[in-house]
Amino acid sequence: LPECPKLLTPVLGKLQHVNLDNLPEGCDLAWTMFILEAAPTLEELCVAVRDHWCIMVTDEEVRKKNGYCEKADVKWKPYAPDFKHKNLVKLTIYGFQPDDSFMRYIRCVAEHAVNITEISLYDRKVCGHCGDLDPVIKNMICPSRYPETDEERKQITEGLGLASRAVVHFRS
């Protein structure tokens, strides 16, 4: 759960780079903003969102028996309403999909990270085992909607409506 920045700043206060890996798809990422509040020297934030289809347990009975829980969103509210982060210059997201959750998250980061200059968006990372799954099955389960054309990318960039001078890059 997000902690009060006053408690975490002594621990995270000198961080310059943060990589958050294997965050579950479909969850709101806003909870990660507490890291920005607690790490004033942070320059780069990298978020990798993915579900491992190769190890996912989908049988409801097996899930109950082994104590799996459903994904839960953790809500974030800034401790200081006028919170501004002055050192974050780069946000990288692996697993970007053009949905409300990602778009809201990027806007939120850009609103609070006033000096952000680069936002790099990548399609999903595929682990070696997930890559071996039948592509037809993978696309039926969760097809990627990563923007492939210049027009799609332009629409997304405009849809973000960023007031900052951040440049959005769509990477392969």
Side-chain angles (χ1 to χ4, degrees), residues 4-164:
C4 175
K6 290 178 184 173
L7 299 175
L8 289 177
T9 298
V11 177
L12 304 179
K14 294 184 181 180
L15 282 178
Q16 293 181 329
H17 306 278
V18 169
N19 290 313
L20 302 173
D21 202 14
N22 292 324
L23 299 179
E25 287 185 12
C27 288
D28 189 352
L29 299 173
W31 67 268
T32 65
M33 294 294 293
F34 83 94
I35 295 170
L36 285 184
E37 283 190 284
T41 61
L42 189 65
E43 296 171 2
E44 292 185 31
L45 175 61
C46 178
V47 176
V49 177
R50 69 175 167 184
D51 285 332
H52 283 280
W53 298 104
C54 59
I55 58 173
M56 190 168 286
V57 176
T58 57
D59 182 271
E60 289 299 319
E61 291 301 315
V62 173
R63 290 181 64 79
K64 284 180 188 175
K65 180 180 171 187
N66 291 297
Y68 286 89
C69 64
E70 295 302 315
K71 293 178 188 173
D73 288 338
V74 178
K75 301 300 178 203
W76 172 80
K77 289 188 171 64
Y79 283 89
D82 57 349
F83 158 66
K84 298 295 179 199
H85 193 285
K86 300 204 175 19
N87 289 314
L88 188 74
V89 292
K90 184 175 181 182
L91 170 66
T92 303
I93 299 176
Y94 289 93
F96 172 78
Q97 297 294 296
D99 60 26
D100 288 340
S101 179
F102 278 108
M103 300 292 276
R104 207 173 30 251
Y105 180 65
I106 293 168
R107 281 188 213 105
C108 185
V109 171
E111 175 187 340
H112 294 284
V114 294
N115 292 319
I116 195 162
T117 57
E118 181 179 340
I119 299 170
S120 295
L121 306 174
Y122 292 82
D123 199 356
R124 292 182 176 121
K125 286 182 175 180
V126 179
C127 81
H129 299 292
C130 290
D132 292 338
L133 294 175
D134 183 343
V136 174
I137 293 172
K138 271 195 302 192
N139 284 330
M140 284 175 30
I141 295 171
C142 192
S144 176
R145 292 177 287 117
Y146 186 78
E148 298 293 336
T149 67
D150 289 340
E151 183 60 31
E152 290 173 322
R153 293 172 180 184
K154 181 180 174 191
Q155 285 177 348
I156 289 168
T157 302
E158 288 173 356
L160 287 170
L162 301 178
S164 70

